[in-house]
Amino acid sequence: MGGPSVLHGLEGSIAEIGRSLHERALRANPSLFDARGLRGRLAARALSDERLRSALFHFIDTLPQLGSAAEVAGHFRAYLGAYELGGLWGRVLRLGSHPALAGAVRASVKRVAREFLIEPQPSAIRRVLRRLARLPATATFDAVGEAVLTDQEAERYLQRNLELFELLARESSEPPAISVKLSALTARFDPLDRSGSCRRALARLNWFLTRAVELKANVTVDMEQHELKGLILDTFFEVLEQFPHAGWLPGIALQAYAPDALVHVERVIEFARTRRRRIGVRLVKGAYWDTEVALAEQRNWPVPVFLDKAQTDQQYELLTARLFDHPDVIYPAIAGHNLRSLSHAIAAARMRGLRRDAWEVQMLLGMADPLSKAVASEGIQLRVYVPVGDLLAGIAYLIRRLMENTANNSILRQTYAERRPLTDLLAAPHPAPMQTEARATGFRNLPLIDFSDPKSAAAFRHALDAVRSRLGSTLRLNVDGTTERAAGHHVCTNPASRDETLGVVEMAGVAHADRAVANAVGAFESWREVAVERRVEVCRRAADLMLARRERLAALEVLEVGKNWREADADVAEAVDYLRFYAQQMEALDGWRPTAGFPGERNDLTYEPRGVAAIIAPWNFPLAILTGMASAALVAGNPVILKPAEQAMLIAAELHGILLEAGVPPAVCQFLPGEGETVGRHLVEHPDVGLIAFTGSREVGLAILERAGRVVSGQRQVKRVVCEMGGKNAIIVDADADLDEAVLHTLHSAFGFQGQKCSAASRVIALESVHDRFASRLADALDCYPYGPPEDPQYVFGPVISEQARERIERYIELGKSEGKLHYRGRVPQSGHYVAPAIFTGILPRHRLAREEIFGPVLSILCAESFAQALDMALDSEFALTGGVFSRLPEHIDLARRRFRVGNLYINRRITGALVSAQPFGGIAMSGTGVQAGGPDYLKQFLWTRVVSENTLRHGFVPPSPGT
Ligand code: NAD
């Protein structure tokens, strides 16, 4: 293997080769950095002004979506108006919304685009091939375009590739070379559904590869985001098994910025050797660096790429050497524009005496023409990566490349714009000593399980089996240690399969509720006196216990309420977060705090628990919400009575067990499985219950508020009701919205957990110009998701909670047919409580479908003429829980921030999945009492404040204030 010592021996030749390449490559500038001409000047300014650079790219990003001249002008001004632009773009800016502006801007962007991608026409292909032949170089083509969200789009992607194949076969004397993205071959390329994703991608690839074999083509599978890497590699190996024919060259791209890249290189070499199969490996540094780092930070996952660029560069050289060591089975393509990496590769190949045709260098079209000329004239085989696509639709590609190559650490920027000295450019990469990652302090959410790791998926499958094997027992009614005669029975069933009984829960009646309240009253004094550190410790221990049982708890949710794996895991993670977050918050509220520093007077405030708390929870976040409300009450010093929803009692019993095991005394945390209308109501009205924490429907919530406000005989305190209710949440899709994003995020916001989230989108208000396209893409995308039992991870969507819910939702769907137009209806199995998802168009704000919470997989799409009207429509609701906006116009985003008054507003992202602490969650207006769970103010609702003021003056003597 090529270790550092081998590399050392190469330094002399690397320097020599580098100097020669550099001399030739610097004779001209690549057009991107060519400061002559208008575009060059703008690009040069963008390089020196980070904000302008970002504004410019943001503006270009919106272009394909913009229709009228006025829209183009508006965006141009919004992004670039603050800059003094000279030349044509400056003049263009002064044109205002003149129709000429749109044309001029589009033409200008197309001109830039044409340098980096070509249109899929024979003449353009011929031109580029001729141009490359002069270098000399060959090409590999890549059909770029919009994101693939639907099967129709995947089909079109395949068709584009097939057409490209035929075009190349006709136009070129060389065997065609194409790069494909596996994620674009199916609408659902999901590592959790490994075999299904692989099967779907292969089904499409089949034709394509049959033709590849005939044409002796060279097909390289592109590497994508980290999460997809395992799946891409598995699918690639499957392709090789299914198309063992010699003659065509299969290839895979591998990314040196991934610390585990060597493992994958070895796996490919091993495969090639055992199957006696030649495989191409395109070695790249990696194009998703920023996204990988940002996503890992957001998810609190380990960052899957090197943070130090020098580590990537160093690994790149190691991998190059490794690939060069196997010329009989590996055909390396060294892809990049880095003078040092290329010089190293050339030196390493020469040192090994590799034949000219044993490897090649690859570069991107238009990125570094002078360098590519220099490489070709060294006698190295060169292949140019040519993206093919509509110039405007391919803009995502263009932006990514422009961002990458104008970033501060871009080697092209350093070579051409900054003119770094040659010794710097050719210096061997020296990574800085490994730094332990400096994580931000403060609250950290529990990372979700990364199911792209097959080990995690296997552990979850195992947990499902284990949970199922232990189901079926009867949970005896027990009030504070005494087994009681039950008031009834509740049979818990799996909503995905009507006949599967999960267990039986003995139900409490009002007499049990009375006893539980009496126990709690008796326990209050002592629990209040327990030191805050102890209560905090108990919560943290409960969090640890929950974490240790994470998969089991989530598996139980899958069976009891029909959540899919990811959603169930997220619910458990949120529960752990609540325990830890409120523990941390309570630490900060502990003790007496001075309110003012007057001499001779002491003023102190303290927080104290309020009394017995009834915790009345819904079933849809069965662990998180119950845990959140209960842990806030407990850590604050209140005894709790857990009254879970009837549909989620098994998971609630698990929580009860965990809290007791963590050290909460039994009388301080009692489990009271009972019906809402009887036991729940009784608790609310009980004179000794001082605090009610409720989450559920508006109907029940308002009734609770009213009843709790009625003072009954024997009552000693005004009841506090913490009340989180439903929503009728709207997403506005603006005329300039990125539809790839808007469709995908709306799909998950509206149909995730079958729409049974209080935060779910149930209205979309789309601007006229995007309405039809949005509606049809959304329906097509949704149609790619089969419905089925969520314990099988191929199903993202499953049943609704009960037969009663199913019937209620079906009635709304019938109503929708008379109020609007049924735009889409899915298909579902018959075996459980399934509702086929429905999308309605033609719904007006006054329709019941637009006003009432349905709590199921039903989405109404309304149409608005302007953004202002869309905002009015969104706000025309009695609910105000969540809302969303997809827009790229800064003034619309600002307007939404100011006026879209809901508890949680989400901009350009999905509207579900709030994280404890980062996104405190809860509604305002008629959706809740307005203090969000998981936020800085929530805990105080479970506490009184008391203030003590003491005159410390004694006959004119002022004692020193405490602490001085
Ligand atoms: P629900 O209102 O039917 O029941 C919630 C809880 O209240 C259950 O434990 C139930 O037994 C109890 N209950 C019912 N009638 C009662 C009464 N008369 N007195 C006292 N308790 C009574 O709601 P659900 O079907 O379990 O949950 C779905 C609803 O919850 C939706 O409306 C959803 O929007 C809402 N929700 C809101 C949030 C939020 O944070 N705002 C979160 C989750 C769910």
Side-chain angles (χ1 to χ4, degrees):
M1 178 178 156
S5 55
V6 178
L7 299 181
H8 267 306
L10 285 182
E11 286 305 321
S13 24
I14 292 174
E16 203 175 303
I17 295 164
R19 206 170 309 117
S20 147
L21 285 177
H22 190 244
E23 204 172 280
R24 270 181 273 198
L26 276 189
R27 281 184 201 148
N29 259 346
S31 55
L32 179 62
F33 299 98
D34 194 348
R36 287 165 308 174
L38 169 70
R39 253 186 357 261
R41 278 200 303 279
L42 193 60
R45 265 194 68 189
L47 286 175
S48 59
D49 181 340
E50 192 61 34
R51 286 189 36 241
L52 172 60
R53 186 168 146 255
S54 157
L56 192 59
F57 293 150
H58 271 82
F59 166 66
I60 295 173
D61 178 50
T62 61
L63 259 195
Q65 187 72 28
L66 304 181
S68 67
E71 277 176 353
V72 176
H75 285 72
F76 194 81
R77 268 196 310 276
Y79 284 107
L80 297 165
Y83 297 91
E84 283 287 316
L85 296 181
L88 176 66
W89 281 41
R91 283 203 298 282
V92 159
L93 195 60
R94 286 191 289 279
L95 279 176
S97 49
H98 192 280
L101 179 137
V105 167
R106 280 211 183 88
S108 179
V109 170
K110 277 188 174 173
R111 222 173 308 132
V112 180
R114 214 166 266 130
E115 313 247 344
F116 307 103
L117 70 160
I118 63 162
E119 284 159 298
Q121 286 148 6
S123 56
I125 301 261
R126 245 175 273 141
R127 251 197 321 274
V128 80
L129 286 174
R130 268 204 309 272
R131 210 174 97 199
L132 296 180
R134 283 199 294 272
L135 270 174
T138 50
T140 176
F141 292 85
D142 176 19
V144 297
E146 63 188 355
V148 167
L149 304 178
T150 70
D151 277 338
Q152 291 84 335
E153 286 163 359
E155 199 54 43
R156 280 206 293 277
Y157 175 74
L158 179 69
Q159 282 307 328
R160 287 211 310 273
N161 273 295
L162 279 167
E163 282 160 20
L164 194 56
F165 242 171
E166 300 307 328
L167 197 60
L168 295 175
R170 276 200 311 274
E171 300 297 337
S172 167
S173 50
E174 296 276 326
I178 283 193
S179 298
V180 287
K181 283 208 165 34
L182 295 185
S183 68
L185 286 166
T186 157
R188 285 187 306 126
F189 196 65
D190 180 354
L192 187 47
D193 178 19
R194 254 184 149 69
S195 59
S197 301
C198 185
R199 186 171 19 83
R200 286 189 294 274
L202 273 171
R204 287 233 160 76
L205 217 46
N206 225 323
W207 278 17
F208 182 71
L209 290 177
T210 309
R211 192 70 183 120
V213 172
E214 285 164 13
L215 294 172
K216 299 201 176 316
N218 169 336
V219 178
T220 303
V221 169
D222 261 329
M223 191 46 74
E224 306 178 46
Q225 296 91 323
H226 168 75
E227 223 182 329
L228 301 181
K229 189 158 56 184
L231 178 55
I232 290 176
L233 280 163
D234 287 355
T235 312
F236 175 68
F237 291 127
E238 191 55 41
V239 163
L240 295 184
E241 300 287 9
Q242 292 195 13
F243 290 84
H245 325 72
W248 76 290
L249 182 70
I252 178 93
L254 294 174
Q255 301 151 323
Y257 66 18
D260 60 355
L262 185 60
V263 177
H264 299 300
V265 164
E266 296 296 349
R267 201 174 149 203
V268 174
I269 294 171
E270 167 75 15
F271 189 96
R273 205 157 276 301
T274 50
R275 304 293 198 289
R276 296 166 194 278
R277 188 68 208 274
R278 194 143 191 255
I279 298 178
V281 174
R282 174 188 299 147
L283 187 62
V284 298
K285 299 249 163 109
Y288 300 87
W289 194 89
D290 294 282
T291 326
E292 298 288 13
V293 173
L295 279 183
E297 282 290 328
Q298 281 174 21
R299 296 169 173 175
N300 208 354
W301 284 357
V303 181
V305 292
F306 286 129
L307 291 174
D308 179 359
K309 175 98 172 28
Q311 274 182 298
T312 302
D313 291 343
Q314 190 178 57
Q315 170 148 286
Y316 193 85
E317 295 187 5
L318 286 172
L319 299 177
T320 303
R322 190 76 194 120
L323 294 171
F324 282 169
D325 284 339
H326 300 270
D328 53 333
V329 286
I330 297 292
Y331 178 74
I334 303 302
H337 309 107
N338 183 315
L339 193 63
R340 159 79 202 188
S341 308
L342 289 173
S343 307
H344 162 266
I346 297 171
R350 285 185 184 156
M351 188 189 79
R352 286 169 176 76
L354 290 188
R355 283 179 24 197
R356 180 178 185 272
D357 61 2
W359 70 291
E360 65 185 35
V361 166
Q362 287 191 3
M363 291 191 192
L364 298 173
L365 182 73
M367 281 297 164
D369 291 346
L371 187 61
S372 52
K373 271 194 201 126
V375 167
S377 58
E378 279 285 329
I380 307 297
Q381 285 199 110
L382 175 70
R383 191 182 295 276
V384 172
Y385 188 95
V386 184
V388 185
D390 177 86
L391 293 182
L392 285 181
I395 244 154
Y397 169 84
L398 177 66
I399 301 269
R400 213 170 69 220
R401 291 299 171 220
L402 290 177
M403 290 299 273
E404 194 180 318
N405 290 302
T406 52
N408 281 332
N409 64 359
S410 147
I411 193 68
L412 286 180
R413 178 181 174 144
Q414 291 168 2
T415 311
Y416 290 103
E418 295 166 6
R419 299 271 166 176
R420 288 268 180 92
L422 181 60
T423 41
D424 282 10
L425 295 175
L426 285 180
H430 279 301
M434 284 284 270
Q435 303 215 330
T436 42
E437 244 173 87
R439 289 275 190 187
T441 50
F443 184 79
R444 305 287 297 182
N445 299 95
L446 180 67
L448 301 182
I449 294 177
D450 175 3
F451 284 110
S452 70
D453 179 353
K455 286 201 282 296
S456 308
F460 202 90
R461 157 76 43 221
H462 179 73
L464 271 165
D465 293 342
V467 167
R468 177 163 268 129
S469 70
R470 265 180 254 127
L471 289 171
S473 55
T474 296
L475 197 69
R476 300 298 312 276
L477 181 66
N478 186 308
V479 180
D480 192 17
T482 319
T483 305
E484 301 271 345
R485 234 180 101 100
H489 290 86
H490 178 81
V491 180
C492 308
T493 54
N494 179 348
S497 141
R498 287 191 190 93
D499 304 331
E500 187 182 3
T501 298
L502 306 175
V504 175
V505 178
E506 289 189 352
M507 299 285 272
V510 290
H512 302 112
D514 283 337
R515 243 189 333 280
V517 174
N519 293 336
V521 170
F524 179 41
E525 284 292 317
S526 56
W527 185 239
R528 178 168 58 188
E529 294 312 314
V530 169
V532 164
E533 305 93 79
R534 259 274 300 140
R535 298 203 299 258
V536 160
E537 199 184 296
V538 165
C539 281
R540 293 200 169 125
R541 204 173 309 134
D544 293 345
L545 288 170
M546 212 176 252
L547 189 53
R549 292 168 205 176
R550 173 180 204 165
E551 279 89 358
R552 240 183 61 197
L553 292 166
L556 181 57
E557 289 196 21
V558 170
L559 298 176
E560 193 177 16
V561 298
K563 276 194 191 264
N564 70 28
W565 293 21
R566 286 193 177 101
E567 304 255 18
D569 175 59
D571 190 55
V572 179
E574 190 179 343
V576 172
D577 281 351
Y578 278 130
L579 282 160
R580 291 177 172 168
F581 181 74
Y582 294 137
Q584 194 184 73
Q585 296 274 305
M586 193 59 221
E587 278 176 330
L589 294 179
D590 187 21
W592 290 92
R593 63 203 58 224
T595 57
F598 303 131
E601 187 173 276
R602 237 180 108 181
N603 293 288
D604 297 308
L605 175 150
T606 192
Y607 292 97
E608 284 202 344
R610 302 175 70 105
V612 176
I615 311 293
I616 305 180
W619 51 266
N620 65 334
F621 289 92
L623 192 62
I625 293 182
L626 189 62
T627 306
M629 296 191 295
S631 60
L634 283 170
V635 80
N638 308 285
V640 301
I641 298 172
L642 305 177
K643 209 309 281 163
E646 294 86 319
Q647 302 88 333
M649 297 222 184
L650 297 180
I651 191 83
E654 293 288 328
L655 170 66
H656 181 236
I658 285 173
L659 290 171
L660 296 196
E661 200 176 327
V664 183
V668 172
C669 177
Q670 299 177 82
F671 179 58
L672 199 68
E675 280 173 8
E677 253 312 304
T678 51
V679 172
R681 182 177 173 155
H682 191 70
L683 288 173
V684 169
E685 292 173 341
H686 200 292
D688 291 334
V689 170
L691 182 60
I692 297 139
F694 167 82
T695 304
S697 62
R698 189 177 64 166
E699 189 195 353
V700 175
L702 294 182
I704 288 179
L705 279 164
E706 192 190 327
R707 286 178 191 138
R710 253 184 255 147
V711 178
V712 293
S713 147
Q715 185 172 333
R716 304 292 291 270
Q717 69 183 73
V718 176
K719 293 181 196 232
R720 161 64 64 90
V721 184
V722 176
C723 188
E724 302 293 334
M725 296 174 286
K728 184 70 194 172
N729 313 305
I731 291 179
I732 297 177
V733 180
D734 201 357
D736 69 343
D738 179 336
L739 285 194
D740 291 349
E741 302 260 308
V743 167
L744 190 67
H745 290 285
T746 303
L747 189 147
H748 290 288
S749 301
F751 298 98
F753 193 35
Q754 297 69 262
Q756 302 171 112
K757 297 182 188 176
C758 49
S759 51
S762 64
R763 296 180 289 157
V764 162
I765 302 162
L767 274 286
E768 260 171 347
S769 61
V770 285
H771 174 278
D772 293 357
R773 185 153 160 65
F774 174 84
S776 76
R777 272 190 96 188
L778 182 68
D780 289 346
L782 184 57
D783 202 47
C784 301
Y785 289 81
Y787 277 59
E791 66 187 279
D792 178 344
Q794 70 166 302
Y795 298 115
V796 175
F797 302 130
V800 298
I801 190 69
S802 63
E803 189 54 24
Q804 208 185 0
R806 194 189 71 75
E807 285 167 7
R808 186 178 43 77
I809 299 164
E810 289 291 353
R811 281 197 296 278
Y812 271 109
I813 292 174
E814 281 311 305
L815 173 69
K817 290 179 190 165
S818 62
E819 290 188 329
K821 178 170 170 285
L822 181 62
H823 173 73
Y824 170 78
R825 192 82 208 264
R827 292 163 308 279
V828 286
Q830 296 303 313
S831 52
H833 311 301
Y834 289 94
V835 174
I839 301 177
F840 286 94
T841 50
I843 296 292
L844 301 174
R846 66 180 156 78
H847 286 146
R848 280 180 61 200
L849 239 65
R851 309 200 75 80
E852 296 174 17
E853 186 183 40
I854 301 172
F855 220 59
V858 181
L859 180 71
S860 300
I861 304 184
L862 291 79
C863 190
E865 283 169 12
S866 66
F867 189 78
Q869 191 195 27
L871 203 47
D872 288 341
M873 285 159 86
L875 289 169
D876 180 12
S877 171
E878 288 169 0
F879 296 98
L881 184 51
T882 67
V885 173
F886 284 90
S887 174
R888 285 181 283 191
L889 192 57
E891 64 198 64
H892 285 179
I893 293 176
D894 280 352
L895 190 65
R897 278 179 173 274
R898 279 183 284 118
R899 276 201 48 214
F900 199 158
R901 291 198 177 86
V902 287
N904 291 75
L905 178 67
Y906 298 92
I907 297 166
N908 290 326
R909 53 152 285 175
R910 72 187 195 284
I911 69 169
T912 54
L915 286 177
V916 170
S917 173
Q919 292 126 7
F921 182 80
I924 56 174
M926 294 289 272
S927 281
T929 39
V931 179
Q932 280 127 333
D937 304 318
Y938 187 76
L939 201 54
K940 292 182 188 164
Q941 301 179 103
F942 294 77
L943 295 157
W944 310 110
T945 47
R946 284 205 301 117
V947 177
V948 177
S949 304
E950 179 186 351
N951 174 8
T952 54
L953 270 182
R954 297 280 192 280
H955 294 283
F957 173 70
V958 183
S961 42
T964 58

